Amino acid sequence: MNKTPLISLLLLALCSCAQLVHAADLFKQDASVSHQDILRGSLTPERTWWDLKHYHLDINVDPITRSIHGTNTMTYKVLSEEKRMQIELQAPMVLEKVMQNGQELNVTQDGYSYFIEFEKEQKIAQEYKIVMHFGGQPQVAEKPPWDGGITWKEDNNGLPFIASACQGIGASIWWPNKDHPYDEPDSGVLMSVEVPEHLMDVSNGRLIKVEAHPERKTKTYHWQVTNPINNYGVNINIGDYVHFGEKYQGEQGLLDMDYYVLRDNLTKAKAQFKDATRTMEALEHWFGPYPFYQDSFKLVEAPYLGMEHQSSVTYGNGYKNGYLGRDRSSTGWGLKFDFIIIHESGHEWFANSITDKDLADMWIHESFTTYSESLFVEYFYGKAAGAEYVRGMRLGIQNDSNIIGVYGAHREGSSDMYNKGSNMLHTIRQVVDNDQKWREILRGLGETFYHQTVETKQVEDYMSEQSGKDLSKIFDQYLRDTRVPMLEYFIKDKELRYRWGNSVKGFNMPVKVEINGKAQWLSAKTSWTKLALESAKPSFEVDANFYISALNILGK
Ligand SMILES: [Zn+2]
């Protein structure tokens, strides 16, 4: 790490979680969309005729051979006339066979998409199961969580320390499933993970049973999630874990908060994980009840930075405040909390409860969650501190490409979904100009879209409706355009003239300014508007909380 060039350190400091490096890589590639991208990213007829209900992932993880073998029993409901069924599993993992009622089904392969044909009629409104047998040595994650797959490491005592991380690349990198975000298993996932008997697996939800197999010197840990879960949230973490926990009195009663850390890190974790209940307190205030009381909340130590794995948020921030000890905002506020605990837990509301229906709308995950960091700061250190923090995040904005990605192609947009997206939300808060209303909107999103997969339009429309202000041009400007809007103005003959430049057609965001120290709203449009002034040469300043630029076109 000490040999890392300064520029890399700077870039790393400006990154938040999983998607930044990955997104940057995507834009180096040819923007054309491949056949596999379409199979992977679109709602094909082979996907839409059935509704995913449940997975039972039953696997053995062998640290010696670095392999995973087992089955995924998938329950689904038939919605319309049966077609072939599409699922994904990425090489080098192999789909060995697919069974239904004891009969092996015919399977054809197209890239890493598989198409299953049925022997028996699939009747509309009925539920069925298939059992997918699979195995192999899954892709090793080179740089998790950005370069996903399985991480095989050892702890300080030489014991295996293993974890999955697959945001972006997708859960099909290690197990077969319906690998598209629009459809989540309505009644959750049961995970049965067999590991060497001296190790423990920690997965999502609650531990319901541990079975010992003395003849094989293994144990199987059964973890159950009862709520819908996004595919990339399903995870395994295997190591020499110790547990501690607490109960948190939250908005929906007592929440079980459990922590699993490597044996040697227990003391450090007991001090550092105090930020977990602080997160819960701040984010329940702003976003409403934690969305998974039934499945509990966990922090689980992982051999990489961290990830928003639902109800088992993984942690690898080195028991330091900030982002690996650094302040991404450069304001000092970023060192008041453990970035990974707050950011990845914030995703329980935006990513896990409210999930994008298409990867192109991933701003719904990252913009709100990055924004949640400033809400955490505001809750504990005051409104000015929160605003300073989110403005500090502007250092990382690229304005390189649109925040909204390519639909139907498993293609996310610019990494600006983090820093610029959070500043868009902070700017919208200024426009709403009513803190109580703003909090109601944030909490209303959590309630209205609870446990749903959504499109950007639903979120945008909801925010416009609830605020009573048409925010559509603001969303267009910041999500569908790279330009930072510019307030052009000049003062002449005791008159201010102003308009929006560098903006989308019809951009009409009201903006707050100070003229001679007096706060005033300007209803700016893309054509000139006049305002009579009391003095000939007043001072003029734009409210810093708007992420815009301003230009006196005649100069000072
Ligand atoms: Zn994130």
Side-chain angles (χ1 to χ4, degrees), residues 16-18 308 343-344 347 366 369 418:
S16 68
C17 77
E308 66 251 31
H343 181 94
E344 306 305 341
H347 276 306
E366 298 302 348
T369 302
Y418 294 80

Side-chain angles (χ1 to χ4, degrees), residues 244-251 253-259 269-286 288 290 293 297-299 313 336-338 340-342 345-346 349 376 379-380:
F244 65 105
E246 61 190 314
K247 300 215 184 283
Y248 178 73
Q249 183 64 53
E251 289 195 12
L254 275 185
L255 171 64
D256 293 316
M257 298 184 69
D258 291 286
Y259 312 113
K270 280 187 171 170
Q272 191 71 6
F273 286 6
K274 290 200 175 11
D275 268 357
T277 49
R278 294 217 304 158
T279 305
M280 215 43 83
E281 185 183 337
L283 297 192
E284 281 206 329
H285 171 84
W286 285 109
Y290 172 71
Y293 271 74
F297 173 86
K298 298 200 297 293
L299 278 179
V313 169
K336 298 278 187 192
F337 60 92
D338 187 311
I340 287 296
I341 296 178
I342 281 70
S345 302
W349 284 263
F376 176 93
Y379 184 85
F380 288 108

Side-chain angles (χ1 to χ4, degrees), residues 179-241:
D179 209 356
H180 191 289
Y182 90 99
D183 196 6
E184 296 187 353
D186 303 328
S187 47
V189 178
L190 174 62
M191 300 181 72
S192 305
V193 183
E194 186 180 6
V195 298
E197 61 187 358
H198 61 297
L199 302 175
M200 179 181 191
D201 169 65
V202 186
S203 288
N204 313 76
R206 291 182 187 272
L207 182 62
I208 54 168
K209 193 165 58 168
V210 183
E211 277 177 295
H213 315 287
E215 71 288 358
R216 296 202 294 271
K217 292 191 166 50
T218 62
K219 280 182 181 166
T220 302
Y221 290 84
H222 300 272
W223 291 89
Q224 186 175 41
V225 174
T226 58
N227 287 303
I229 179 169
N230 48 31
N231 280 1
Y232 75 85
V234 172
N235 78 147
I236 51 170
N237 302 282
I238 298 163
D240 180 26
Y241 283 113

Side-chain angles (χ1 to χ4, degrees), residues 89-91 93 138-139 148-149 165-166 169-175 177 179:
L89 181 64
Q90 299 180 45
M93 295 302 280
Q139 184 172 309
C166 56
I169 200 159
S172 59
I173 196 74
W174 63 283
W175 58 287
N177 59 76
D179 209 356

Side-chain angles (χ1 to χ4, degrees), residues 222-424:
H222 300 272
W223 291 89
Q224 186 175 41
V225 174
T226 58
N227 287 303
I229 179 169
N230 48 31
N231 280 1
Y232 75 85
V234 172
N235 78 147
I236 51 170
N237 302 282
I238 298 163
D240 180 26
Y241 283 113
V242 289
H243 165 258
F244 65 105
E246 61 190 314
K247 300 215 184 283
Y248 178 73
Q249 183 64 53
E251 289 195 12
Q252 279 187 354
L254 275 185
L255 171 64
D256 293 316
M257 298 184 69
D258 291 286
Y259 312 113
Y260 292 86
V261 299
L262 291 183
R263 189 170 301 279
D264 287 358
N265 293 335
L266 183 61
T267 309
K268 277 191 271 185
K270 280 187 171 170
Q272 191 71 6
F273 286 6
K274 290 200 175 11
D275 268 357
T277 49
R278 294 217 304 158
T279 305
M280 215 43 83
E281 185 183 337
L283 297 192
E284 281 206 329
H285 171 84
W286 285 109
F287 291 161
Y290 172 71
F292 304 104
Y293 271 74
Q294 306 87 340
D295 291 330
S296 80
F297 173 86
K298 298 200 297 293
L299 278 179
V300 184
E301 186 167 354
Y304 58 85
L305 184 59
M307 181 47 69
E308 66 251 31
H309 296 120
Q310 185 174 315
S311 66
S312 66
V313 169
T314 44
Y315 177 86
N317 200 32
Y319 301 101
K320 287 180 196 148
N321 276 3
Y323 177 99
L324 293 171
R326 296 188 296 274
D327 177 8
R328 294 179 67 247
S329 74
S330 299
T331 61
W333 297 114
L335 293 177
K336 298 278 187 192
F337 60 92
D338 187 311
F339 173 87
I340 287 296
I341 296 178
I342 281 70
H343 181 94
E344 306 305 341
S345 302
H347 276 306
E348 293 280 28
W349 284 263
F350 290 94
N352 297 344
S353 177
I354 305 176
T355 308
D356 57 35
K357 213 169 228 173
D358 188 299
L359 203 58
D361 289 338
M362 202 172 133
W363 78 272
I364 298 166
H365 299 189
E366 298 302 348
S367 301
F368 281 98
T369 302
T370 305
Y371 182 59
S372 78
E373 298 158 23
S374 69
L375 295 176
F376 176 93
V377 172
E378 176 170 343
Y379 184 85
F380 288 108
Y381 306 104
K383 191 173 172 182
E388 201 184 336
Y389 178 86
V390 71
R391 293 198 307 264
M393 303 301 266
R394 293 175 186 168
L395 288 167
I397 296 176
Q398 309 286 325
N399 290 313
D400 54 352
S401 56
N402 295 349
I403 287 178
I404 289 193
V406 180
Y407 289 101
H410 190 66
R411 191 74 57 93
E412 68 199 50
S414 165
S415 60
D416 276 349
M417 69 178 83
Y418 294 80
N419 299 320
K420 188 176 178 180
S422 61
N423 269 284
M424 174 187 75

